[in-house]
Amino acid sequence: MALTGVLRPGHTQIRVLDLEASVDFYTNTVGLVETGRDKAGRVYLKAWDERDHHSIILRRAERPGTDFYGLKVLDKRTLDKLESDLRAYGVATERWGAGELLETGERVRFEAPTGHLFELYAEKTEVGDGLGYVNPDILIEDRKGISPIRLDHWQIHGGDLDGSRNLFVDVLGFTLTERILAEDGKTDMAVWLTCSNKAHDIAFVRDERNDTSHHAAFLIETWEKLLYAADLLAKRRVTIDIGPLRHGITRGTTIYFFDPSGNRLETFCGGYSFYPDMKPYTWTWDQIGSAIFYHTRELNERFLTVVT
Amino acid sequence: MALTGVLRPGHTQIRVLDLEASVDFYTNTVGLVETGRDKAGRVYLKAWDERDHHSIILRRAERPGTDFYGLKVLDKRTLDKLESDLRAYGVATERWGAGELLETGERVRFEAPTGHLFELYAEKTEVGDGLGYVNPDILIEDRKGISPIRLDHWQIHGGDLDGSRNLFVDVLGFTLTERILAEDGKTDMAVWLTCSNKAHDIAFVRDERNDTSHHAAFLIETWEKLLYAADLLAKRRVTIDIGPLRHGITRGTTIYFFDPSGNRLETFCGGYSFYPDMKPYTWTWDQIGSAIFYHTRELNERFLTVVT
Amino acid sequence: MALTGVLRPGHTQIRVLDLEASVDFYTNTVGLVETGRDKAGRVYLKAWDERDHHSIILRRAERPGTDFYGLKVLDKRTLDKLESDLRAYGVATERWGAGELLETGERVRFEAPTGHLFELYAEKTEVGDGLGYVNPDILIEDRKGISPIRLDHWQIHGGDLDGSRNLFVDVLGFTLTERILAEDGKTDMAVWLTCSNKAHDIAFVRDERNDTSHHAAFLIETWEKLLYAADLLAKRRVTIDIGPLRHGITRGTTIYFFDPSGNRLETFCGGYSFYPDMKPYTWTWDQIGSAIFYHTRELNERFLTVVT
Amino acid sequence: MALTGVLRPGHTQIRVLDLEASVDFYTNTVGLVETGRDKAGRVYLKAWDERDHHSIILRRAERPGTDFYGLKVLDKRTLDKLESDLRAYGVATERWGAGELLETGERVRFEAPTGHLFELYAEKTEVGDGLGYVNPDILIEDRKGISPIRLDHWQIHGGDLDGSRNLFVDVLGFTLTERILAEDGKTDMAVWLTCSNKAHDIAFVRDERNDTSHHAAFLIETWEKLLYAADLLAKRRVTIDIGPLRHGITRGTTIYFFDPSGNRLETFCGGYSFYPDMKPYTWTWDQIGSAIFYHTRELNERFLTVVT
């Protein structure tokens, strides 16, 4: 099989201050669909075109942030293999039983060198996107809010960027697609990694604040739908961090905004297709403005400093 | 590595009746870039964002059609492995030396059960897309004509569809994404296969005319650029077969048109992302109209009958 | 005042066979808003961004078609002036009292030489588009169906095209923007007329079937929304006559489809801006294909023959 | 005739510091077409779809800014009438002879209360847009740079906003479409005026700096082309003031950027259609952020302070 190993970002558990206000925001403004709640009070959501049971889990907490990041792998055999590979690499793993997350099989959890908790899993109940599998239609009506396609990628921060980068490349089979070098021209300040044809599935940024999240990103179909997203966010008085604009990195277009708890979210569109025979792009420190915000070539303070 | 084996459709050699008229068409109307000519008189072209030396080879001949279909594989080790797998599966292979195609390494050639000549290769000179790899810009100016992103996929016809489908799935690692069933509800009349995140990299249609091509497709960025493609083709009095329209299959949007020799080409945009944990879609015979042309739900005679 | 006289197509009364099925179609699929019903059982609708009470009136009848075409004029003084001008031109007029149509002032009705009933009116209750007039937002949420901006124009057929053209140009102040000439190179077979900056507010086609309608058109914001319209119509199994495509005439993009009674409707997007210092375009008979359907350069039989 | 009087912004003479660098910028980056040079060394340009000889005149000078603003009127009779109306209103007018501007007839010049020089003219040589008037095509190939449709509107600043507003409404037939009120809830701080179906043809902003220009705007077809404009400007390292974004006022989308001399230009897309029977929108002082930059609801210092 041509696409194997780790398939994609599968789910992420986000801490929110007010659960019901957040459910309202993630369903009516972001436009996800609620698919379940568990005994612990967590709320499960999915984007409309995702076929698995959920991609976002909301947990009420005293401070915003992300509890853990889930990666879907091809099958149980792959899960066992990667667990074994992680251990061989010197990473402690913990196996969580099926069902601890709703409709989800066993998970292999480990801590990345940047302090983030990741988990691999091979099984999650397929609930479909409503189009069916026989003579499917091509659209779902009455999508609410921004209504992205899927959870797309994460940008997360921590000190040992080299450690996390190496772990993802050497053990989990990710490929480096882009990097920003420090002023010394050698040190990676940020790296973009893919496990698929996407320009990125995850990005790590060097930051002394371990285990922090810059944003989780949702995929949007078109630049016009990005405009609608910005219009809708503005109409509902949601704080837009920046956008719509173009990234130099990935060539994608984007809006960044904040959920009611202060977690930054991205609606992302486009980006080139990546294949593992391609060279990565390198950005030098003096061009970081163009790398991130291609049009203005200037970063804003909030984008640089706020993580959760 | 998460993406391995066969990476993508890499090149295709198309027969044209008038070489210079065809070069003019493929460069100025389709908007490919000429990258070389060889001693045999063949002309090599690439789409602007392809990094390898070429994806289209034009050969002058007395009748239109396609000589062979090239699949890029991850590396030389993969090439050897797939050659060995093909032989083990009972498929005769022939190894062609590096350089027979310009800037291309060794190729492993075989005939698929539907009569088409395929070849695998691991090496082709990387010429880049002009953006560079250090602080790249995000656009190339002065693109001509339609200017697609890349060669995207093929639809080809032959009698032993089952044989080709099995070969691509069992040996080459492709995954079935969609199928049209015959009236008996069992026989595949057409299958769509992927070796990546794309909704299709190749489609086989059951047709008694072995070794024929329905179309080669180029990827277009947006629905608005598809409109420009249709406008430009119309302005230049190119015969548009059909479109712009939506496919039920892949959910992509499209225009079909003919090159001056009568080879059908497609400009394709969109389509869902596929992962190997997803179920394929099945279309029943009575819904073939919606499957192919979602809006009108009716096929046209020319689309059904003309192959080269 | 720079824009005076006749302002725009203001309303049209359409005959439908099944009233409730039609209301469902015009509200949920076309996406108009029902604004009232009168004692005669007629249903009034408006497009979301129209500020006046209604633009479409549905009347149950035994056969499809259009009862009359209403043109909004600047003010009561203009209404009186145009009534007087019409009479001076030899056209009989009839004044209908305020309130015969819901929320509508006095109407001056006359028959055009092509047999169509027109009416001028200066007053209709302003109900707004829901955005308000103080610190308005820029979008309405929960728009249903295609949800056009407004009633845009009509194409209507009749024998004495010259008579109607002259009446609209000489008395009502319209300007010719485009024409199709007959094979003789002299006779107008079709004319496009504007009373504003639009490329057309009305088109007359020479046709022995007097007092017939080819289509009423609604304005759509973008080519991407046109695609959504086509997708939605197809999903709901509405008969699409043709499209999405580009017109040579007006340069607009379009889809034609039929309401449940067989009345043809158009969703129209774009078109150039016209000013009265511009020359009209002329299309010769042999280029009628490009004039109407720019991409295919071929008319279809149904488009040519079906009127109501 | 329904559209009479003042038709549209017809030309504007912009002061530039380095003539040839500016011609390069306005042709290759903005994408206008040079149509002539006069004895005074001025360079004349037009947007591709404008049919008259020019809309932008560049004059070399020591400081940036705008010399005068030209309004095209319907015909010579209108020119005479408006000249007479202006005088009757107490405005001094000066008639400039035909030919002083290339290919342009007589101009009636006057100073608006905000200190800006305006001129009315009825005649300018029609050079066409290259599509022709018989069986026209719908696109011009090889458009360069941003390649807007036309000069669209101006935003200009001066102290006696009330005077200019009244002059344009009472004498020139413009209609108020939107206004921003000062904190007192009574004083107009800015007004948007139209002489057509456009949401604005000119805007006046109250500012003690008389006879200053905030920007001249060009019309762009689509939001996607606005993205291309931003990408191209960024690639060429042109200073983008802000955008792409949505205006609350007019609902249009936009990018602001600077020419090499520091004159601010806008690429504008969309905006609602206005008719003189519509009520104007009013924005209160506390909502000025949403009025101007709908998404962020915050103005930037540069946008507020830089005029030329």
Side-chain angles (χ1 to χ4, degrees), chain C residues 112-116 156-168 188-189 191 204-211:
Chain C
T114 40
H116 304 87
I156 59 180
H157 291 207
D160 186 5
L161 177 147
D162 299 336
S164 283
R165 180 200 60 215
N166 291 347
L167 176 64
F168 273 70
D188 279 339
M189 292 306 290
V191 292
F204 289 100
V205 173
R206 189 180 299 276
D207 188 324
E208 60 190 15
R209 296 166 294 180
N210 259 15
D211 189 21

Side-chain angles (χ1 to χ4, degrees), chain A:
Chain A
M1 189 162 286
L3 195 68
T4 57
V6 176
L7 298 182
R8 62 179 176 273
H11 61 240
T12 195
Q13 183 164 305
I14 297 174
R15 295 189 295 271
V16 295
L17 307 184
D18 178 326
L19 189 67
E20 291 312 321
S22 297
V23 170
D24 177 69
F25 179 81
Y26 279 88
T27 55
N28 288 314
T29 298
V30 179
L32 306 181
V33 180
E34 183 180 331
T35 55
R37 299 197 178 203
D38 67 16
K39 292 176 184 166
R42 295 181 296 188
V43 180
Y44 295 68
L45 305 134
K46 68 182 278 293
W48 82 268
D49 200 24
E50 291 174 322
R51 304 187 190 181
D52 285 351
H53 181 265
H54 61 267
S55 58
I56 297 290
I57 308 139
L58 302 180
R59 180 174 74 84
R60 213 204 69 71
E62 295 306 312
R63 61 184 184 87
T66 301
D67 285 332
F68 55 81
Y69 305 85
L71 296 164
K72 178 114 186 236
V73 303
L74 181 61
D75 51 22
K76 291 185 77 164
R77 201 181 60 80
T78 304
L79 187 67
D80 295 342
K81 172 70 161 54
L82 290 172
E83 180 182 39
S84 155
D85 292 349
L86 283 165
R87 289 184 176 185
Y89 194 76
V91 175
T93 66
E94 189 180 2
R95 201 171 266 248
W96 288 49
E100 196 279 334
L101 277 184
L102 282 189
E103 307 290 341
T104 308
E106 285 188 303
R107 294 132 68 203
V108 171
R109 186 173 281 195
F110 63 94
E111 185 179 323
T114 41
H116 305 87
L117 282 180
F118 281 91
E119 54 186 35
L120 311 177
Y121 68 97
E123 297 181 316
K124 190 180 288 181
T125 303
E126 192 262 344
V127 295
D129 58 11
L131 296 174
Y133 293 104
V134 179
N135 301 324
D137 269 302
I138 56 92
L139 68 84
I140 295 290
E141 295 180 42
D142 299 322
R143 289 161 59 182
K144 289 184 181 177
I146 296 172
S147 189
I149 292 283
R150 66 167 185 234
L151 174 63
D152 190 77
H153 66 268
W154 305 291
Q155 180 182 324
I156 58 181
H157 291 205
D160 187 6
L161 178 148
D162 299 337
S164 283
R165 180 199 62 217
N166 291 347
L167 175 65
F168 273 71
V169 171
D170 297 341
V171 183
L172 299 177
F174 283 63
T175 306
L176 179 78
T177 61
E178 309 214 20
R179 66 181 3 135
I180 297 176
L181 293 180
E183 289 180 287
D184 65 11
K186 290 182 291 188
T187 309
D188 280 338
M189 291 307 289
V191 292
W192 283 258
L193 305 174
T194 185
C195 58
S196 65
N197 280 129
K198 292 156 63 181
H200 57 347
D201 283 295
I202 192 166
F204 289 99
V205 172
R206 188 181 299 275
D207 189 323
E208 61 191 13
R209 295 167 295 178
N210 259 17
D211 188 20
T212 52
S213 168
H214 188 273
H215 65 266
F218 296 98
L219 187 68
I220 301 289
E221 291 112 317
T222 67
W223 172 240
E224 183 167 319
K225 284 190 165 60
L226 262 193
L227 175 61
Y228 177 74
D231 289 345
L232 188 71
L233 291 168
K235 179 172 187 293
R236 296 191 176 171
R237 303 300 183 258
V238 174
T239 300
I240 293 177
D241 192 4
I242 194 164
L245 56 76
R246 169 84 76 185
H247 286 304
I249 289 168
T250 77
R251 303 186 210 159
T253 50
T254 184
I255 306 165
Y256 291 100
F257 58 100
F258 293 97
D259 83 356
S261 307
N263 293 293
R264 190 189 285 98
L265 301 174
E266 181 185 16
T267 49
F268 176 83
C269 175
Y272 54 82
S273 292
F274 186 84
Y275 285 91
D277 61 338
M278 290 182 177
K279 289 183 196 170
Y281 289 118
T282 299
W283 298 82
T284 56
W285 188 247
D286 57 309
Q287 294 298 314
I288 189 172
S290 288
I292 308 294
F293 300 143
Y294 186 72
H295 296 153
T296 56
R297 304 191 295 280
E298 287 173 17
L299 303 186
N300 69 59
E301 188 64 17
R302 183 168 56 188
F303 188 81
L304 283 173
T305 55
V306 175
V307 293
T308 53

Side-chain angles (χ1 to χ4, degrees), chain C residues 2 275-278, chain D residues 1 3-11 52 70-83 86 95 106-108 110 119-124 171-172 174 195:
Chain C
Y275 285 90
D277 61 339
M278 290 182 177
Chain D
M1 188 161 288
L3 195 67
T4 58
V6 176
L7 299 182
R8 62 179 175 271
H11 60 240
D52 285 351
L71 296 165
K72 179 117 185 233
V73 304
L74 180 62
D75 52 22
K76 290 184 78 163
R77 202 180 60 78
T78 304
L79 187 67
D80 295 342
K81 172 71 162 53
L82 290 172
E83 180 182 38
L86 283 164
R95 201 171 265 248
E106 286 188 303
R107 294 131 69 203
V108 171
F110 62 94
E119 53 186 37
L120 311 177
Y121 68 97
E123 297 181 316
K124 190 179 287 179
V171 183
L172 300 176
F174 283 61
C195 58

Side-chain angles (χ1 to χ4, degrees), chain D residues 251-280:
Chain D
R251 303 186 211 159
T253 51
T254 184
I255 306 166
Y256 291 101
F257 58 101
F258 293 97
D259 83 357
S261 307
N263 294 294
R264 190 189 283 101
L265 301 174
E266 181 185 16
T267 48
F268 177 82
C269 175
Y272 54 82
S273 293
F274 185 84
Y275 286 90
D277 61 337
M278 290 182 177
K279 290 183 196 171

